[in-house]
Every structure is written in C-alpha cells, then in structure tokens.
Amino acid sequence: MECAHGDICTVDTYDKSLNFLLLSLSFGQGRQFRNPILDTYSPDPAVLRFNGSYFMSLSSGNDRTITVLRSPILTDFRNADREVVFDAGSVGLKGLWAPEIHEVEGNIYIYFCLDDGDEAQHRIYVIKADDPNNPLGSYGAPIRMVPHLEDFAIDATVMKHGNGRMYLLWAGIKTGTSILISPLIDPVTVESSYVILRSPTAEWEQIGTPTVEGPFCFYNNSMTYLAFSVGSTWGPDYSMGLMSIPSNKDPMVPSNWWYGINGPIFSRNDDEGVYTTGHATFALSPDGTETWMIYHATNTTEDVINHRNARLEKIDWDESGPVFPRPHGYNSSMALLLSPCNLQSIWISNSVITPGCFNKTCKVAALSPEVRNRSFLLVSSAFTYVQALWIALNVIEWALAVVFSQCFQSPQWLVRSSHSMSSLFRPVYGISAKSKNMKSKNSENPELLSNSQTLMIENGLMRPSSTSGSFTLLPVTMKSMKKLVDIIDQVLSQYSCQKIQMPTITAAGLWKTSGRLDECGKEIMTVTDRHSKKLILSPTHEEAMCEILGDYPWSYRNLPMRLYQITSKFRDEMKPRFGLLRTREFIMKDLYSFDVDENAALETYEAINEAYKRIFDLIGVEYLKVEGTTGMIGGSLSHEYHLLANIGEDKLVTCNACNFAFNVEILNAVESSQEDSKSHDCPKCKSTNTKKHLGIEVGHTFLLGTKYTKSFKNVYLNAEGKSELMRMGCYGIGVTRLLAGVIEVLCVDNQIRWPAALAPYQIAIIPPKSGSKEEPIGKPLAEDLVRYSDVLFPNDVILDDRTELTIGKRLMDLKKLGIPYAIVFGKGVTESIPLIEVLNVNTGDLQKISATQSSQECPFVEELLQYLIDVAVMSFKTPLEVHQEITDYVIEREFHPQFYIVIVIAAWIDEVSAEVQTEVVPVCSVFQHLVHITYR
C-alpha cells in the first residue's frame, strides 16, 4: 500500500481504516481566509506568539485602556478571549497609543505611550505582567522609559539583535518625527546615549506630515529587518518602509544599516479598496516556517483615523530578503498558514503511529478479528462520506481497539444517546392549511395564520395557550432558540457588550417620568398590585436601565457602557396574528449603550449595527437593512432589519439609483398614505427608480441622545470634573420573531426549512424498521454510530428510534421538522459490502456509500462537512468553551481544529479508564489552524 507521498507503507492489520485516517489528515490544506482578522476598531495592532497562542495588544476605551486578546489562531481574533489589563486613568493620564506586547527575558512587557491631555506631551511607558505565563492577567504600575529626554516619544519597540544585546527603538520629534535607538540595560531601563536612525527626508516620507514612526524588528538568516511607517497616520497614503542590518553589526552606527529602496514597500491598493496601510508587527506560523505581518488599514479614504482595523498578510522570502505583497481587500481570499508536511508521532497508550512525512513505515498493533471486523464495518460506512466524521471514527475505533482489545469485547461503558425521536416532547395535532383563521380558546378575536404559525403548531414546535397571542415553546424550538441566543451572545461579546437580567415588571412611575406612559397608551400591558400600585409588564427597558444607572458618580473612564439582556417582553396587541410574528408575549434581545458625547454615541451606534450585520450573516438568511422612524422609542436616528415576506406588515422601498433603503413611514403622512400601486420617490436622491417590498421587522436600532438620560439625570464627570449628560442608544432583536421569520421565508411545500446555524438537529440517524431483515445488522451499527456521535457532536444528532414506523414515514417527518441530513440504515446494509444512505433532506440528494467510495464523490459533501466541523470544534463558541476539561491541553499544543476530535477521544478514554495513560504529541506542523471556523 502506498502512502500519500508515494512510499510503501506496511500495516499489519486494519490497513484500510488506517489508510482512511492518513488520507484524512491532509484535509484543511488549501483553505482560505479573508481580511480583516478583527472587525472592530483596532489601530496599531501588535501580536506576540507565546505559549502556543497569539496575543494581540490594542488601545481601547477611547485611548484610555489596554486590551489584550488571546487567540489560538493568527487568522481570526473575532472570538478571542480578551481582558483590559491597564487603565491610564489609574495614573491620571490619557492618550494611550500603540501598546506593543513583548516577551523579554522570560517576562511579558507592554510598551506604550501616554500624555496628560496634550498630545505633544506623549511619553513612553512600560508595564510588566505579574504572572510571566499569563499575558491576560494583572500588570504592575507603569514605568516611564527614556526619562532623561523630555521630548515627544511614541511607538516604542524592543530589538533583540544578533550581537546578544537589546535595544529600544521609538519615534520622536527631531527632524520631523524620526526613529531613534538606545541600548537597553534591562527591559525597563535604557542607557542615556541614543542616535537617530532615520528621519523623513525623502519625498515619499513627507506625504501629509513628515513622519517616520511605528518601528518593529523581525529576523531571518542572520539579518535584522526594521519595518516602519511613513506619512500622516490620518491619511489614506500612510505606508511602510524597510531597513536592515547584519546581526553582527552595531546598530548604534547608522552607517551599518541598509536603508532600503527609495520608496514604500507596502502601500495603499486602490484596486481592492485598501488604504492607510501601516504600523505593522510580525509573527511566525506555529512551526516557525512562515512570516506573517499584522498591520492596520481601512477600506475608506475618509475619516481613516476612526476606521482602522487589523489585517494580515503573508511575507515571502527570496535571496534579497522579505517580499511584501500588495494588501488584500475584503473580497480577496488568502491561503491559510500552511507548513511542510512534518507529522510528529501521535501516541496513544503504548501503541504509536509515526507517519513522519508519510514516508516512513506505518505500523499498528494487531487487533482481534472481532474488534477489527466490527470497527472496519462501522468505519467504512456512513462516516466515509463525511470526512470530519470519517477521521473521527477511524481514530475512535483504532483507539478503542488498541486500548481495549485485551479488556473488552464490547465497550459497554459508552453512554446511550439521550436524543431520540421517541423521547422528544412534541405533541402534534393538525391545523388545516386552507383555514383562513383559527380561533383561540376563550377568545372572540381570530388569529390570522401564517405559514410559520401553521408549521410550528402542526409539527410540535409550539402550542397556543388559552390566551390569544401567547404560545408555549416546545423543545425543538428551544434548541433552535438556544443556537440563536448563542450567536447573539458570541457576537455581542466581541463588541464589549455585557449581559444582565432585569425584572420584567417595572413601576409605571418610571414611564411617567420619561413621558412614555401617556404616549404609548393601550399598547402597554399593565397590572395593579394589592397596594393599588400600577405596574407595567415591560415591552422595553429604557426607563429601567436609566434607573439602574441612577445617581452613581460615573466617570468618563466608565464609558462607553453597553449592557443587554434577552428576556420576555409584553405588548397588549389589539389583534395578535401570525403566531410568533405578532404576539402579546415575546422574547427579545434589548441592548442599551451610554457614551460621553454624540460622536462617541454615533461610534457605538455604528459598531452595534456592524454587530447586527454579523449576527444576521451568521444566521444565513437574506435580510434588508432600512432607515426607519424612531416611533414610540424616540431619538434622532433609526435603522430596521427586515426579512422579506408576503405577509410582512412593513412597507419598504429600495432605490435602484443610490441603493438607499427605507421604511415608507419615514415619509410625510400624506406620501406614506399613497396607494400601494404608486411608487415612492427616494427621499435621498429623488429618483423614481424604486422597488417596493413587504418586510417582517426582526431588529431595530435607535440613537437616543439625551431623551431618557435627561429625564433620569444620568450624568458623568468629564476630565475636568464637570457633570455632563450621558448619550444613549438602544438596540433590539426579536428572538422569537426571528425564529418564526426564518421559517416563514424559507419553508417550502408545507415543510420547515432552517438555516444551518439554527437547525435544532443537523443529523438524524435512522435504523431499520423493527422486524425487518435489515434489523440484525443495521440496528447495532446505528446504535454505535449514535454513541460516537454523542461524543463528537453533542446535542446535534438525533436517533429516530420509532422503529415501528417505516423508514419512509420517518423521513417524511424529518422533512417537516427541517432536519437537514439523515443517515439511513436501510436495505443496503445487507449487501456483501454494506451500503448506507446519506440523504440531504432539503434537496432530496441521496448517496449510497461503502468503504470503497471516496467522500469526494458525494455531491454535497463540502456543505455537510463544513457544518460538522463547525459543530465538532466550536458549536458557535470559542475554542475555550469547547470541551473545557481539555481545552488548555489543546491550545498549549497548537492543534489544528480537526485534531480537537483526537484530543476529545484521548481525554474521553483517559477519563473513563484511569488506568489508561493517553498522550497525544503535537502534530501542528502539518495541521495549521483553520480560520473563520465559526464566524466566516
């Protein structure tokens, strides 16, 4: 048998299964990612590779704090762990720029600059981590660097030169902003001597303002390379230059340096819309073979100072040194971090696979025939089709066989799945789809039916209560809702939003204070307690949130604040209709922001709208963002997010001339009451070339200004110690309405269709019908598959154990539920080479697979494979939340996400049998980290 690189590989037994494993190991090469690696405002990004993770330091909090982020992969910091490690306000300073994280002499340091409110007074400071192994932990007090020079000083970096000495480089004002260098006595102390290495004397260094700044050193082939930035930081022509020096030369002698070409080595790319390219740091791939540049850039030429975010480019090398690419725009894909095939050994118990570069002899311990046959039959069935599962089962069966072949004939300790169709609480009863309305119990008002309402009731996703406009959500809906809430939580956490829980009941007096008690009228649902006090079942919580802030002495250092909750809300609808689309009780995500002024509030408003885009993109359903009215909420700016559907109650218009989209409610009362047949002119460009739509509103954002904070006297102390009103924003997503909305717009032929991100289960395993000739073979295989699936894909695979029904009837039911994929153990299992059917329930595509077939032959393998990897690795969570008991083990050894599966298996075996010592040695040199595995 030949290995992947052409050499002969001998295997004592179990050869086909191991061959599947080795072929699977190459999966993931050729995957791609796109810039940026951090969507939010992230100027001057500095990255350090340390203890198997990548750490990024950024200025935050309106240049008042330092945030450190940790990610297992360099290509994506969106869902990274993050901690604020320093607040300039603690020492009475501000203007915190360009924090740069370094590992020096076994400790973690962050170099940065501060001022006292006057930018010309910027000076360099450094802080040291209290725990040298924890860059996200606490840090000591800041130490002033270069105290003997009372000059403007920014952008400090450490140079570890080949002569064994360390140097501090920074930018200071000498002849323009120049780069200076001074020897370091220790990581926090510099010698008094310094020299100017480079001043902005060339024309290309004087665009905007004569500036050379942002130095950073990287190393290769006995050379030290110094990258720097030139031009105006606030201009689109900000670019980069390069210097270098041999490692055996004294860097304090300027003539020892090669000063590079007379021009930038990295600059704006108008073809792909990339501007302000600069302030870079450099990091190596996990195996040390690749150099990657982390820098900031914008996709606009306007107000670039406020639109910079972190990007990534791969640096190639030739005989003359580094080769810089042109910067890639948002729509250009780049290859992931890849490395030469250099597998290290994978140890499990006392057996070992040592494939090296697939050119060494591979040996596996001989297995008993019983274990081998059972394992091979299972491995060569359904999971041959799905490559991620394919890897998993090969490794599982192999590991189980090796570890337990002498101890067990059957691993009875495996836990049976708790997810089965027979145990699922799902009361089903019919509603005529032809019915125009349905009367709720004890209600004289009919509720108009929608497709989503009909399908959710008929298929046991919810049940109507005796109160009109109120529904009980059943387990299937709750599973999908949890996935939606997880997406919302994950995205908002990346935008510094904190989750809270407020009471549903609020005092009517709060609404009277804001003036909304009379404005909202009968739409507010009220109750009166035994003390005759009027209370409100809140539809929103603006007043309650302002009450929480109260008269606490907030400082400008505490802002911005972004707080949200996901709770039940109430509205006294006159005519509840369309199920969850228009109810009296609903679940909503409501977020409230507080900022120092209108500009900061607008920045938050744009950031949350960016987060909304990310949330809806992750859900995977088409939506339309339009400008809307502020309505009963109030404020100066409002945007709505709609799903387009025929039953939508909002009239929307898109302009084909300028792409402006709006709700007709923003027009004046006369125009908004025009007949539907008459088109609406665009209020922005006055064009008549417009198109009308009907939409289901599922999200809304408001810029409120001081509408509420003025009423509740929510103030903060500014830098001068004077009181100012906070500026507020509020942002809602209708969680239950969104669930019903996606069903409404995606359903077909009276069948529910879910976007992949929200499907309650992704896979149903269907064993043979009870009493059939396939049952003796198919049932054990299906049960084994369920056991393993529970370990690899918890909560996302369900066993349809209603074996009294035919496979066909069970498939019809799955179609109605919208479960995307089914693995069917039907007639094919009785073949000499068992065949198992993998069905795409949504499209009807059916693939019969066997051990001899490659997953590449399956027409929809990529779609299913990607989702399965998502579920196995992330489940819309960060890596640190997946299999928490072994995460540190995984991160420390820099495993490619596919090998989370291997680690799960190893830890699982180790946990079950304390006598089995399981160790997995790193294989990161070939399996580099995938990017956008959750948020693509």
Side-chain angles (χ1 to χ4, degrees):
M1 180 177 64
E2 288 193 346
C3 291
H5 285 220
D7 292 335
I8 299 299
C9 175
T10 62
V11 180
D12 297 329
T13 56
Y14 208 43
D15 54 346
K16 292 184 179 180
S17 182
L18 180 58
N19 188 42
F20 290 162
L21 172 61
L22 295 181
L23 290 175
S24 301
L25 294 180
S26 62
F27 171 76
Q29 300 190 31
R31 291 179 59 85
Q32 297 179 326
F33 77 98
R34 294 183 179 182
N35 275 323
I37 58 174
L38 189 58
D39 295 318
T40 53
Y41 177 66
S42 44
D44 308 333
V47 171
L48 168 69
R49 178 164 176 75
F50 180 73
N51 278 356
S53 295
Y54 290 97
F55 293 86
M56 178 186 290
S57 56
L58 292 171
S59 60
S60 54
N62 292 330
D63 293 338
R64 293 190 298 270
T65 58
I66 297 175
T67 296
V68 176
L69 298 82
R70 176 178 62 190
S71 173
I73 55 177
L74 181 58
T75 46
D76 195 349
F77 279 82
R78 293 173 176 84
N79 55 340
D81 294 329
R82 60 190 67 203
E83 292 290 341
V84 174
V85 300
F86 176 73
D87 186 340
S90 64
V91 292
L93 297 174
K94 57 184 67 174
L96 196 157
W97 291 356
E100 195 169 289
I101 187 167
H102 286 268
E103 186 273 323
V104 185
E105 296 183 345
N107 290 292
I108 300 299
Y109 297 87
I110 301 178
Y111 298 83
F112 55 96
C113 61
L114 295 169
D115 67 30
D116 58 3
D118 179 1
E119 289 187 1
Q121 298 302 314
H122 266 110
R123 302 292 184 265
I124 297 171
Y125 292 82
V126 61
I127 53 177
K128 176 184 176 182
D130 294 331
D131 181 351
N133 294 312
N134 184 16
L136 268 65
S138 59
Y139 284 72
I143 300 172
R144 168 85 182 275
M145 300 283 290
V146 203
H148 55 286
L149 295 179
E150 287 299 332
D151 294 322
F152 176 83
I154 60 174
D155 298 349
T157 192
V158 174
M159 172 183 173
K160 302 174 183 178
H161 196 44
N163 61 5
R165 296 208 61 182
M166 296 186 301
Y167 301 83
L168 186 76
L169 287 79
W170 72 96
I173 296 181
K174 294 299 177 183
T175 305
T177 302
S178 305
I179 294 177
L180 294 80
I181 183 172
S182 181
L184 278 169
I185 299 172
D186 57 49
V188 300
T189 310
V190 297
E191 293 184 4
S192 59
S193 61
Y194 72 90
V195 296
I196 300 174
L197 282 187
R198 190 177 189 112
S199 296
T201 56
E203 182 178 349
W204 62 280
E205 297 170 325
Q206 299 179 0
I207 299 176
T209 302
T211 300
V212 178
E213 63 183 14
F216 190 87
C217 296
F218 58 109
Y219 315 90
N220 193 42
N221 290 335
S222 300
M223 293 289 292
T224 296
Y225 295 91
L226 172 59
F228 55 90
S229 300
V230 303
S232 296
T233 307
W234 53 87
D237 294 301
Y238 195 59
S239 58
M240 290 176 55
L242 185 70
M243 300 166 56
S244 64
I245 186 173
S247 59
N248 60 352
K249 297 288 187 179
D250 184 358
M252 294 294 289
V253 179
S255 61
N256 285 339
W257 288 81
W258 176 73
Y259 280 82
I261 62 174
N262 187 25
I265 47 91
F266 192 73
S267 59
R268 62 188 281 174
N269 184 352
D270 290 57
D271 293 338
E272 297 201 17
V274 187
Y275 312 96
T276 322
T277 54
H279 209 110
T281 59
F282 296 78
L284 296 178
S285 59
D287 66 349
T289 64
E290 296 174 348
T291 303
W292 289 75
M293 179 176 70
I294 305 93
Y295 65 102
H296 72 224
T298 70
N299 60 351
T300 178
T301 58
E302 303 294 331
D303 190 26
V304 297
I305 199 71
N306 293 314
H307 290 85
R308 296 169 291 172
N309 54 19
R311 318 284 183 100
L312 185 67
E313 302 285 347
K314 183 176 182 293
I315 305 302
D316 291 321
W317 295 88
D318 61 19
E319 61 279 359
S320 62
V323 179
F324 288 77
R326 295 197 72 195
H328 289 78
Y330 278 12
N331 296 320
S332 293
S333 299
M334 289 179 283
L336 284 171
L337 285 67
L338 300 176
S339 302
C341 182
N342 183 27
L343 280 178
Q344 299 182 31
S345 299
I346 308 171
W347 290 85
I348 297 184
S349 187
N350 294 320
S351 300
V352 61
I353 298 179
T354 55
C357 283
F358 293 144
N359 56 9
K360 295 182 181 179
T361 299
C362 302
K363 296 184 178 180
V364 178
L367 310 176
S368 67
E370 293 83 4
V371 175
R372 181 177 69 248
N373 292 339
R374 183 181 179 196
S375 301
F376 178 72
L377 182 60
L378 179 60
V379 172
S380 61
S381 57
F383 283 3
T384 307
Y385 162 68
V386 186
Q387 197 171 13
L389 295 180
W390 194 30
I391 299 170
L393 281 189
N394 276 279
V395 178
I396 285 175
E397 288 294 345
W398 171 65
L400 291 179
V402 170
V403 176
F404 293 100
S405 60
Q406 303 302 318
C407 305
F408 301 98
Q409 291 299 316
S410 177
Q412 298 297 326
W413 42 267
L414 287 170
V415 180
R416 184 174 178 81
S417 172
S418 60
H419 298 283
S420 62
M421 291 295 291
S422 64
S423 63
L424 189 63
F425 181 71
R426 188 173 157 242
V428 176
Y429 61 92
I431 299 176
S432 172
K434 297 180 181 180
S435 175
K436 296 296 183 182
N437 61 66
M438 177 185 70
K439 289 191 175 182
S440 297
K441 301 173 185 178
N442 303 328
S443 174
E444 297 181 357
N445 295 324
E447 294 181 20
L448 298 179
L449 290 178
S450 62
N451 288 332
S452 60
Q453 179 181 4
T454 301
L455 290 172
M456 293 182 77
I457 294 175
E458 285 185 341
N459 291 288
L461 275 70
M462 69 179 189
R463 293 200 68 173
S465 72
S466 58
T467 303
S468 176
S470 184
F471 297 88
T472 297
L473 305 183
L474 300 180
V476 174
T477 301
M478 294 301 293
K479 279 185 63 64
S480 291
M481 186 164 68
K482 183 181 184 304
K483 292 186 176 185
L484 174 56
V485 169
D486 284 347
I487 292 174
I488 293 173
D489 286 341
Q490 288 294 332
V491 173
L492 292 184
S493 69
Q494 299 171 32
Y495 289 80
S496 302
C497 302
Q498 302 177 67
K499 196 172 186 178
I500 62 173
Q501 177 94 25
M502 290 188 284
T504 297
I505 297 177
T506 56
L510 292 177
W511 285 62
K512 187 174 182 180
T513 299
S514 68
R516 284 209 296 170
L517 185 61
D518 296 328
E519 291 176 8
C520 297
K522 294 183 178 180
E523 283 196 6
I524 299 177
M525 194 172 289
T526 62
V527 295
T528 303
D529 68 9
R530 67 179 63 190
H531 305 293
S532 300
K533 184 176 181 179
K534 189 175 183 180
L535 304 172
I536 291 176
L537 298 178
S538 300
T540 62
H541 278 76
E542 286 79 8
E543 290 84 357
M545 182 58 71
C546 288
E547 182 192 33
I548 291 173
L549 268 62
D551 57 358
Y552 183 85
W554 299 105
S555 164
Y556 70 93
R557 299 188 184 95
N558 301 122
L559 303 178
M561 284 188 287
R562 300 170 182 176
L563 306 172
Y564 78 100
Q565 62 174 349
I566 300 177
T567 58
S568 292
K569 306 292 190 297
F570 296 85
R571 183 183 292 113
D572 195 0
E573 290 284 354
M574 179 180 293
K575 293 181 179 180
R577 52 200 178 274
F578 303 144
L580 296 181
L581 297 180
R582 180 68 70 179
T583 64
R584 289 181 171 177
E585 181 178 357
F586 52 95
I587 296 174
M588 185 174 80
K589 186 283 303 171
D590 47 323
L591 185 153
Y592 306 91
S593 65
F594 298 86
D595 287 274
V596 295
D597 54 33
E598 293 297 337
N599 289 334
L602 182 59
E603 181 179 324
T604 292
Y605 183 84
E606 292 173 347
I608 302 303
N609 274 276
E610 180 183 285
Y612 272 33
K613 179 182 183 301
R614 188 122 188 95
I615 289 170
F616 287 110
D617 287 346
L618 282 171
I619 292 169
V621 64
E622 291 187 10
Y623 65 95
L624 180 64
K625 178 185 176 183
V626 304
E627 188 168 311
T629 61
T630 56
M632 62 171 273
I633 302 295
S636 59
L637 183 62
S638 166
H639 285 90
E640 303 168 359
Y641 293 79
H642 289 265
L643 305 182
L644 301 183
N646 291 334
I647 67 164
E649 298 184 280
D650 284 276
K651 298 177 182 179
L652 316 174
V653 178
T654 54
C655 177
N656 296 323
C658 68
N659 295 322
F660 183 63
F662 59 96
N663 191 317
V664 297
E665 292 176 352
I666 71 171
L667 305 176
N668 60 53
V670 175
E671 188 175 355
S672 64
S673 64
Q674 296 178 87
E675 296 180 2
D676 289 346
S677 59
K678 186 175 180 180
S679 63
H680 297 285
D681 295 349
C682 175
K684 189 173 183 180
C685 70
K686 309 306 180 184
S687 172
T688 59
N689 184 13
T690 59
K691 183 179 180 180
K692 295 184 293 183
H693 312 269
L694 294 177
I696 301 170
E697 182 187 322
V698 292
H700 210 147
T701 60
F702 299 87
L703 189 62
L704 300 175
T706 59
K707 173 179 170 63
Y708 295 91
T709 56
K710 184 176 181 180
S711 299
F712 288 89
K713 298 180 174 58
N714 299 123
V715 299
Y716 71 94
L717 297 179
N718 63 20
E720 288 73 39
K722 298 180 180 179
S723 294
E724 291 191 32
L725 282 173
M726 298 180 185
R727 269 63 171 185
M728 189 175 177
C730 67
Y731 317 84
I733 290 179
V735 174
T736 45
R737 180 182 284 186
L738 182 52
L739 284 176
V742 297
I743 293 176
E744 189 70 37
V745 300
L746 296 179
C747 67
V748 294
D749 299 328
N750 294 321
Q751 297 173 5
I752 293 174
R753 292 289 183 270
W754 294 101
L758 301 185
Y761 297 95
Q762 278 295 316
I763 302 172
I765 297 173
I766 305 180
K769 186 179 185 298
S770 179
S772 67
K773 63 180 180 180
E774 297 87 13
E775 184 181 20
I777 299 175
K779 182 180 178 181
L781 288 176
E783 290 178 346
D784 278 351
L785 188 60
V786 170
R787 292 186 182 105
Y788 298 130
S789 300
D790 273 354
V791 176
L792 297 176
F793 311 111
N795 304 317
D796 223 39
V797 177
I798 188 167
L799 171 66
D800 195 340
D801 58 348
R802 299 171 298 172
T803 54
E804 72 279 5
L805 301 177
T806 65
I807 289 177
K809 288 183 178 179
R810 282 178 280 171
L811 282 174
M812 286 301 298
D813 197 32
L814 294 178
K815 288 182 180 180
K816 292 179 181 180
L817 274 179
I819 297 177
Y821 298 99
I823 298 176
V824 182
F825 293 79
K827 295 180 180 179
V829 299
T830 61
E831 301 290 338
S832 57
I833 298 179
L835 295 174
I836 296 175
E837 298 174 349
V838 181
L839 175 68
N840 184 321
V841 178
N842 291 341
T843 66
D845 291 336
L846 177 67
Q847 183 72 28
K848 295 183 178 181
I849 59 173
S850 69
T852 60
Q853 287 181 299
S854 165
S855 62
Q856 298 301 320
E857 299 174 14
C858 301
F860 49 98
V861 65
E862 289 300 325
E863 176 188 355
L864 177 57
L865 172 60
Q866 184 58 59
Y867 184 80
L868 292 174
I869 292 176
D870 290 348
V871 173
V873 180
M874 299 287 191
S875 298
F876 296 104
K877 298 178 181 178
T878 65
L880 298 179
E881 294 173 312
V882 179
H883 302 288
Q884 190 61 50
E885 69 277 11
I886 56 168
T887 295
D888 291 339
Y889 184 87
V890 174
I891 298 298
E892 180 182 349
R893 287 160 176 78
E894 308 160 13
F895 276 95
H896 180 290
Q898 284 189 52
F899 255 74
Y900 274 63
I901 296 174
V902 178
I903 303 302
V904 171
I905 297 161
W908 172 41
I909 295 172
D910 195 46
E911 180 180 353
V912 171
S913 177
E915 298 177 359
V916 177
Q917 297 301 316
T918 301
E919 181 183 8
V920 180
V921 179
V923 291
C924 59
S925 56
V926 69
F927 299 113
Q928 303 300 344
H929 298 290
L930 296 178
V931 71
H932 300 306
I933 201 71
T934 302
Y935 301 119
R936 297 186 298 278

